[in-house]
Amino acid sequence: MRVEYINPFVEAAFNVLKEVLVNSDVRRGELYLKSASTPVLGVAAIVGLAGDVEGRVLFDMNRDTALAVASVMNGEQLATLDDLAKATITELANMITAQAVTKLHDLGFQFDLTPPAIFTGDNMEVSDQDVEALIVPMETPQGKIEINVAIRERA
Amino acid sequence: MKTKQDFPAINERKPDGFRPDGAAYRVLIVDDSVFVAKQLSQILTSEGYDVVATSGDGQAGLDAYKELYPNLDLVTMDITMPKMDGITALEKIIEFDKNARVIMISALGKQDLVKKALVMGARNYIVKPLDRKKVLERVAQVLLK
């Protein structure tokens, strides 16, 4: 997978997390590549892409992180991963994807997005046939959020 | 009371949420994300605005507008929503009431749709993530015009 697809997501994730987590210390971890199945941390928002490029982006975190991030974004302590908390994580995925896609469109790639869907559960994994997944961990005070991008040019 | 005299300046500003006649401006929020709807509602309510209804899609928003009309001052309209998107809902609201005051709420990257909405009669727009200051500024601008 070409790295130019992932950079916009990393930049967007960094910018948006910095903004919604109120200037907290957000750091980018080391990028790594997975070609086989990847475990999912517990709460994953997925956005699909279809067009000149196709694939999907996962925003993956554990439950505690999801709850902590949703709590900061709502300005109140949320106790459970309820509809509001899930809508908050969905909106986070929306904001990051929208910003990344703007950059990709500027680079000349045309494609559509699906609305984000949220998966929650234990011991989940994601497999991408024929597409490598590039993963960028973002470290926040609320915990680790992995941006997991599997995109390819349409054959 | 003495303390009131000691701290006059900050608290004497009139909140923006009230009409010149003293009644609160009435706002309809149309957004499919409960998070965004809640955020908007909190920001507006904190400034005195009266959020009279929240709709989760364009069709519900249009129905709510017709029901509340003419006792409604402002609509915040999300763009990407199920059933009926915000652009279509805007079009139908303007068709129903050409003086409707609608502010579009958009994610980044929807400039074309935002432009289209402004041409169609939306009064202003706000790009997410929502910032309290930005929201209140835009809303007050639209209501003062």
Side-chain angles (χ1 to χ4, degrees):
Chain A
M1 191 175 75
R2 284 157 66 181
V3 79
E4 62 188 292
Y5 298 146
I6 196 166
N7 280 338
F9 286 97
V10 177
E11 273 172 50
F14 185 82
N15 293 340
V16 171
L17 285 172
K18 214 61 196 160
E19 186 163 353
V20 300
L21 299 178
V22 205
N23 290 321
S24 52
D25 188 19
V26 178
R27 281 176 211 198
R28 184 190 146 162
E30 279 301 307
L31 183 140
Y32 62 98
L33 189 73
K34 275 273 173 81
S35 49
S37 302
T38 319
V40 175
L41 298 173
V43 178
I46 187 168
V47 179
L49 293 76
D52 293 348
V53 293
E54 57 187 15
R56 54 95 192 134
V57 181
L58 271 181
F59 300 90
D60 189 13
M61 63 203 89
N62 67 32
R63 284 184 91 89
D64 290 346
T65 302
L67 212 49
V69 167
S71 295
V72 175
M73 286 176 70
N74 278 288
E76 63 178 278
Q77 190 57 50
L78 303 179
T80 54
L81 202 66
D82 54 9
D83 286 350
L84 175 64
K86 285 179 191 166
T88 309
I89 299 299
T90 308
E91 190 53 31
L92 177 67
N94 252 331
M95 288 187 282
I96 294 174
T97 318
Q99 205 173 104
V101 164
T102 306
K103 287 182 185 143
L104 285 167
H105 282 179
D106 290 345
L107 290 172
F109 299 108
Q110 290 303 320
F111 52 87
D112 288 324
L113 294 175
T114 63
I118 294 256
F119 291 87
T120 56
D122 300 322
N123 300 320
M124 299 191 293
E125 53 177 50
V126 57
S127 307
D128 298 280
Q129 300 292 327
D130 308 327
V131 195
E132 295 161 327
L134 266 177
I135 297 164
V136 183
M138 306 291 293
E139 301 286 349
T140 75
Q142 287 72 30
K144 183 175 66 175
I145 301 176
E146 289 197 340
I147 319 290
N148 179 322
V149 182
I151 301 177
R152 65 176 173 196
E153 269 164 81
R154 188 150 64 179
Chain B
M1 204 163 78
K2 187 126 179 80
T3 31
K4 265 190 181 163
Q5 288 172 349
D6 285 346
F7 301 97
I10 300 175
N11 296 322
E12 270 177 15
R13 187 181 71 83
K14 207 168 136 276
D16 287 333
F18 297 97
R19 291 203 291 242
D21 67 7
Y25 283 113
R26 293 163 62 85
V27 183
L28 165 67
I29 295 175
V30 187
D31 205 303
D32 64 331
S33 163
V34 288
F35 167 67
V36 177
K38 175 167 170 271
Q39 219 185 6
L40 273 171
S41 172
Q42 275 174 347
I43 293 172
L44 293 173
T45 312
S46 74
E47 194 63 20
Y49 293 95
D50 185 5
V51 176
V52 287
T54 304
S55 306
D57 64 72
Q59 182 63 54
L62 175 64
D63 295 345
Y65 192 91
K66 288 181 175 168
E67 198 183 310
L68 291 164
Y69 179 84
N71 294 314
L72 193 63
D73 300 294
L74 184 83
V75 181
T76 73
M77 181 71 74
D78 186 21
I79 292 186
T80 315
M81 286 184 291
K83 283 191 197 163
M84 182 191 287
D85 65 71
I87 303 284
T88 314
L90 166 74
E91 190 179 7
K92 294 197 184 278
I93 286 175
I94 299 275
E95 228 172 74
F96 173 77
D97 169 19
K98 66 174 174 25
N99 296 316
R101 287 185 280 210
V102 181
I103 295 187
M104 306 308 287
I105 308 290
S106 161
L108 193 73
K110 307 251 185 248
Q111 286 93 332
D112 291 350
L113 289 173
V114 168
K115 272 185 214 155
K116 193 175 161 195
L118 291 173
V119 169
M120 282 165 54
R123 299 293 178 93
N124 211 328
Y125 67 97
I126 304 168
V127 176
K128 291 185 278 190
L130 298 176
D131 165 73
R132 184 184 146 81
K133 201 172 143 239
K134 188 165 69 183
V135 171
L136 292 174
E137 231 172 58
R138 299 276 164 97
V139 166
Q141 263 174 24
V142 166
L143 288 168
L144 284 174
K145 265 183 210 164

